[in-house]
Amino acid sequence: MAKEKGKEKKPSVGKRIKDVFSELKRVTWPSFTKVVKATGVVLVVVLIFLVVTTGINQGLQKLLELITKA
């Protein structure tokens, strides 16, 4: 099979690593307080879903017990 003419070679691993670090220097990192606030929001949302899911599970379990006893 013939190689495609327009196909370019991948850059070397060293060049790609250098490019990654170059891009990471340009990233705007969030402040510590923003990270803490976002983490708190995530934890609260997870806890809310945990409570709702547990409530639904308990309700369905009680319903199943009522159905199977009859």
Side-chain angles (χ1 to χ4, degrees), residues 48-67:
I48 290 170
F49 275 103
L50 175 68
V51 169
V52 169
T53 305
T54 303
I56 292 171
N57 188 27
Q58 292 295 322
L60 290 174
Q61 186 176 1
K62 295 293 182 187
L63 181 64
L64 183 61
E65 288 176 6
L66 286 173
I67 292 172

Side-chain angles (χ1 to χ4, degrees), residues 3 5 9-10 12 15-17 19 22-23 25 28-29 37-38 46-48 50 58 60-61 69-70:
K3 291 185 178 182
K5 291 183 180 181
K9 283 179 46 175
K10 285 185 177 179
S12 68
K15 169 106 173 78
R16 287 189 282 177
I17 290 174
D19 290 344
S22 172
E23 287 294 324
K25 288 179 184 177
T28 304
W29 297 102
K37 285 181 183 180
V46 167
L47 288 173
I48 290 170
L50 175 68
Q58 292 295 322
L60 290 174
Q61 186 176 1
K69 284 184 181 178

Side-chain angles (χ1 to χ4, degrees), residues 17-47:
I17 290 174
K18 183 179 175 186
D19 290 344
V20 167
F21 281 110
S22 172
E23 287 294 324
L24 284 174
K25 288 179 184 177
R26 292 189 228 164
V27 172
T28 304
W29 297 102
S31 66
F32 181 74
T33 55
K34 285 185 180 182
V35 171
V36 170
K37 285 181 183 180
T39 302
V41 169
V42 168
L43 291 176
V44 167
V45 169
V46 167
L47 288 173

